[in-house]
């Protein structure tokens, strides 16, 4: 019976299959970066009842605690952070694929267009690159797609409470959540006008948005009290608005050719020059196609059909968030408009392209050309995705690789007693290999201890972003080309003497 029901719902089978690439890509352990370690540390800290404290034991303000909450729940269920986040990413992928199918069905596209669109999402190397890392984007994209499904249809009033909850969750997973919630709230109001009238429709959506900002406001006030900033100190990128626009163009091109710039190692200093000529050309082409199809689509559609609503909603989210991101880069935060930053508009753009192309392909010839191009792009993406998932699964990613875990100095530190207190000039990197919490840096030696300890050790790395402040006078108990492990005596002795 269960098998029969599944065959009646092929989108469920496709969604389940879409979970496999990230599971395969994470089979050696989920990828870890600097922010991943803080997400995990905060989750373990909350699970122990100590509050949202990062790797070094400092209250987290630079990132929200939403992803960390999954780690907390996993810890309560005796799941490791690694396995918890693997499952979160896999389930998020299922949700995204299901929502994509739901929206394309509602847009009444042809069956070929429907499944090509679903395939472009399910077999996306761009999404795989994100879903094989311990990042906040996977659950954020799932929440966003659920909200998009709800906001683009007429609703009874209890669904406004669901939207309010989703809008709140978007903020607590990523601080940019309100800049997706605001355009979605407008979409939800406009869709509801025909059924509820203008005043009531806007009142309901406005109330949902306002309610969703209560808990975020309290969190922002907490951050300001702790750090003096609403979301932590951030350095603006400066320059002109053209700089992030060009980076976004390169990102669109990298999505089309299914390759990240600089092999995915761009970081916060990624700029236009870092994209290949193919990516730049593909990005310009993407803009031309997107703008051309959108203008033609709305000129040829005079009604407010579901397909018009869905295309308009996806485009509005893209325009609103992209405009905010361009402004933010120049005046607020030096975060390049790369795949991570722009990931929230990835699936909406695919939906726009699929729906508009399906509408354009009224003649047999145009339809055949469109399908042929879509099949070529889909085949290239699928081949790349399969190759990447196997490669990621064999070696792991960034600090999540087996090599990083088994570096001798990391192994030595991991084998120290659980009652040991650790210090390091690279606490995030060491945490990724040991999951020992907290790991204080050299400038925190005088701060009160957060957990009981018997003995202290400093893991000093020769290559570090914090090259100064090495302790003096301790006993070196391990040394190699990477660095040293220094015994700093018992925890009930004066630690200040090692920093005279």
């Amino acid at each position: 019976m269960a098998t029969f029901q599944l065959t009646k719902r092929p989108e469920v089978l496709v969604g389940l299959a879409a979970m496999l690439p990230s599971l395969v890509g994470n089979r050696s352990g989920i990828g870890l970066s600097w922010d991943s370690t803080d997400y995990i540390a905060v989750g373990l800290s909350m699970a122990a009842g100590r509050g949202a404290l990062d790797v070094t034991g400092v209250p987290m303000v630079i990132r929200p605690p939403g992803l960390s909450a999954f780690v907390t729940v996993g810890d309560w269920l005796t799941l490791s952070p690694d396995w918890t986040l693997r499952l979160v990413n896999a389930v998020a992928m299922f949700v995204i694929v299901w929502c994509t199918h739901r929206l394309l069905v509602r847009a009444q596209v042809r069956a070929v267009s429907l499944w090509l669109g679903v395939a472009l999402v399910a077999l996306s190397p761009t999404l795989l690159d994100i879903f094989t890392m311990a990042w906040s984007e996977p659950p954020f994209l799932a929440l966003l797609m659920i909200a998009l499904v709800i906001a683009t249809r007429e609703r009874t009033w209890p669904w406004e409470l669901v939207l309010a909850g989703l809008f709140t969750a978007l903020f607590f997973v990523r601080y940019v959540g309100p800049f997706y919630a605001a355009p979605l709230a407008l979409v939800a109001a406009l869709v509801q006008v025909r059924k509820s009238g203008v005043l009531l429709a806007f009142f309901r959506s406005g109330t949902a948005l306002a309610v969703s900002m209560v808990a975020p406001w309290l969190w922002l006030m907490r951050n300001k009290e702790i750090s003096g900033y609403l979301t932590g100190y951030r350095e603006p990128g400066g320059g002109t608005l053209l700089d992030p626009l060009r980076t976004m163009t390169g990102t669109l091109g990298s999505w089309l050719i299914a390759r990240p710039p600089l092999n995915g190692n761009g970081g916060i200093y990624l700029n236009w020059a870092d994209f290949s000529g193919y990516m730049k050309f593909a990005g310009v082409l993407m803009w031309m196609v997107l703008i051309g199809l959108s203008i033609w689509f709305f000129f040829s559609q005079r009604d407010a059909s579901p397909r018009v609503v869905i295309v308009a909603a996806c485009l509005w989210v893209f325009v609103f968030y992209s405009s905010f991101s361009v402004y933010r880069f120049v005046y607020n935060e030096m975060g390049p408009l790369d795949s991570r930053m722009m990931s929230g508009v990835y699936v909406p753009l695919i939906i726009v392209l699929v729906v508009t192309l399906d509408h354009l392909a009224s003649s047999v010839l145009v339809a055949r050309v469109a399908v042929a191009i879509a099949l070529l792009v889909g085949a290239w993406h699928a081949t790349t995705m399969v190759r990447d998932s196997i490669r990621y699964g064999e070696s792991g990613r960034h600090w999540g690789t087996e090599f990083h875990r088994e570096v001798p100095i990391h192994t030595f530190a991991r084998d120290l007693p659980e009652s040991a207190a650790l210090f390091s000039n690279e606490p995030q990197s060491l945490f990724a290999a040991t999951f020992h919490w907290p790991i204080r840096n050299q400038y925190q030696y005088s701060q009160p201890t957060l957990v009981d300890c018997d003995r202290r050790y400093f893991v000093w790395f020769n290559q570090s972003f914090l090259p100064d402040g090495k302790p003096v006078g301790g006993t070196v108990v391990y040394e190699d080309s990477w660095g040293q492990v220094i015994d700093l005596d018992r925890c009930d002795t004066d630690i200040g003497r090692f920093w005279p």
Side-chain angles (χ1 to χ4, degrees):
M1 174 65 79
T3 303
F4 174 76
Q5 292 297 330
L6 282 176
T7 57
K8 302 280 278 188
R9 301 296 298 273
E11 70 275 16
V12 175
L13 287 174
V14 174
L16 291 172
M19 299 168 67
L20 294 177
S22 71
L23 291 173
V24 171
N26 289 326
R27 64 188 176 91
S28 293
I30 198 165
L32 300 173
S33 63
W34 182 297
D35 45 351
S36 304
T37 60
D38 278 335
Y39 286 129
I40 293 171
V42 168
L44 295 177
S45 174
M46 292 194 301
R50 301 188 182 97
L53 305 180
D54 67 11
V55 168
T56 64
V58 173
M60 174 66 78
V61 296
I62 200 72
R63 299 178 186 92
L67 182 64
S68 303
F70 288 107
V71 176
T72 299
V73 174
D75 190 73
W76 290 341
L77 298 175
T78 69
L79 285 174
S80 70
D82 176 70
W83 266 106
T84 296
L85 295 177
R86 290 195 214 186
L87 293 174
V88 166
N89 286 5
V91 172
M93 192 67 206
F94 173 87
V95 171
I96 292 167
V97 169
W98 185 89
C99 289
T100 301
H101 179 273
R102 184 72 258 148
L103 289 168
L104 290 176
V105 167
R106 194 181 298 165
Q108 300 176 341
V109 298
R110 298 174 179 86
V112 173
S113 300
L114 168 68
W115 291 111
L116 280 174
V118 171
L120 286 172
V121 173
L123 302 176
S124 167
T126 297
L127 292 181
L128 178 71
D129 182 66
I130 293 171
F131 280 63
T132 48
M133 294 293 298
W135 288 339
S136 59
E137 282 80 4
F140 184 87
L141 298 184
L143 291 168
L144 175 64
M145 291 301 296
I146 295 172
L148 193 57
V149 168
I150 296 173
T152 53
R153 66 177 176 83
E154 294 180 349
R155 308 164 304 283
T156 54
W157 73 263
W159 283 104
E160 308 299 344
L161 299 178
V162 177
L163 279 178
L166 288 169
F167 293 164
T168 302
L170 286 172
F171 169 86
F172 280 102
V173 176
R174 293 184 71 206
Y175 281 143
V176 296
F179 295 93
Y180 285 94
L184 284 174
L186 178 59
V187 168
L190 294 173
V191 169
Q192 196 67 21
V193 164
R194 184 170 59 181
K195 181 177 181 179
S196 303
V198 175
L199 291 179
L200 183 57
F202 275 84
F203 175 77
R204 283 171 46 168
S205 292
T207 301
L209 185 62
V211 168
S212 75
M213 290 308 301
V214 174
W217 181 83
L218 294 174
W219 183 263
L220 293 175
M221 292 304 100
R222 171 255 189 199
N223 291 349
K224 188 172 179 63
E225 182 178 353
I226 292 172
S227 68
Y229 300 94
L230 294 178
T231 59
Y233 175 74
R234 298 171 189 269
E235 188 73 26
T240 69
L241 298 176
L242 182 62
D243 296 325
L245 273 172
R246 290 192 298 183
T247 303
M248 182 169 65
T249 299
T251 296
L252 293 177
S254 71
W255 290 351
L256 180 60
I257 68 174
R259 285 289 82 189
L262 301 178
N263 293 320
N265 297 311
I268 63 172
Y269 301 107
L270 183 71
N271 59 58
W272 178 244
D274 296 324
F275 292 91
S276 69
Y278 294 112
M279 294 176 187
K280 295 174 180 178
F281 174 79
V284 172
L285 179 63
M286 283 288 292
W287 274 118
M288 294 172 62
V289 170
L290 183 64
I291 293 172
L293 284 174
S294 299
I295 292 174
W296 172 85
F297 178 80
F298 287 112
F299 267 105
S300 65
Q301 295 284 295
R302 300 296 182 181
D303 58 359
S305 64
R307 69 164 54 197
V308 172
V309 169
I310 289 169
V311 171
C314 290
L315 280 175
W316 173 228
V317 168
F318 169 69
V319 170
F320 190 96
Y321 176 73
S322 298
S323 300
F324 158 73
S325 296
V326 168
Y327 177 89
R328 177 178 61 168
F329 175 85
V330 175
Y331 297 105
N332 182 256
E333 180 187 4
M334 187 168 53
L337 278 62
D338 59 2
S339 283
R340 287 189 68 184
M341 189 70 74
M342 302 304 297
S343 59
V345 301
Y346 181 84
V347 178
L349 284 184
I350 289 179
I351 291 173
V352 169
L353 291 172
V354 170
V355 176
T356 54
L357 280 171
D358 179 82
H359 183 66
L360 174 65
S362 54
S363 71
V364 175
L365 178 60
V366 173
R368 287 176 177 175
V369 171
V371 169
I373 293 174
L375 286 174
L376 286 173
V377 172
W380 170 248
H381 282 203
T383 302
T384 304
M385 185 273 298
V386 170
R387 182 191 64 194
D388 287 350
S389 63
I390 294 173
R391 178 164 58 90
Y392 296 157
E394 289 175 348
S395 59
R397 303 193 62 199
H398 302 295
W399 287 343
T401 62
E402 184 177 356
F403 170 80
H404 185 82
R405 290 192 297 268
E406 300 306 322
V407 167
I409 194 171
H410 292 163
T411 302
F412 186 90
R414 191 165 55 245
D415 290 339
L416 290 170
E418 289 187 10
S419 59
L422 295 188
F423 293 77
S424 179
N425 58 335
E426 284 291 313
Q428 285 77 16
S429 176
L430 182 61
F431 179 87
T434 63
F435 280 8
H436 185 104
W437 183 91
I439 302 177
R440 293 284 176 80
N441 63 43
Q442 60 266 48
Y443 309 114
Q444 297 176 293
Y445 68 87
S446 61
Q447 294 184 9
T449 57
L450 296 172
V451 295
D452 294 333
C453 65
D454 294 332
R455 204 164 190 89
R456 302 175 296 239
Y457 297 89
F458 198 107
V459 183
W460 180 267
F461 292 93
N462 294 329
Q463 293 186 349
S464 170
F465 289 106
L466 298 174
D468 302 319
K470 185 176 182 180
V472 177
T475 303
V476 177
V477 294
Y478 178 87
E479 183 172 13
D480 63 15
S481 62
W482 281 63
Q484 298 174 330
V485 179
I486 305 169
D487 188 331
L488 300 183
D489 209 348
R490 298 191 314 274
C491 293
D492 58 359
T493 62
D494 178 25
I495 192 175
R497 72 183 190 273
F498 297 105
W499 282 272

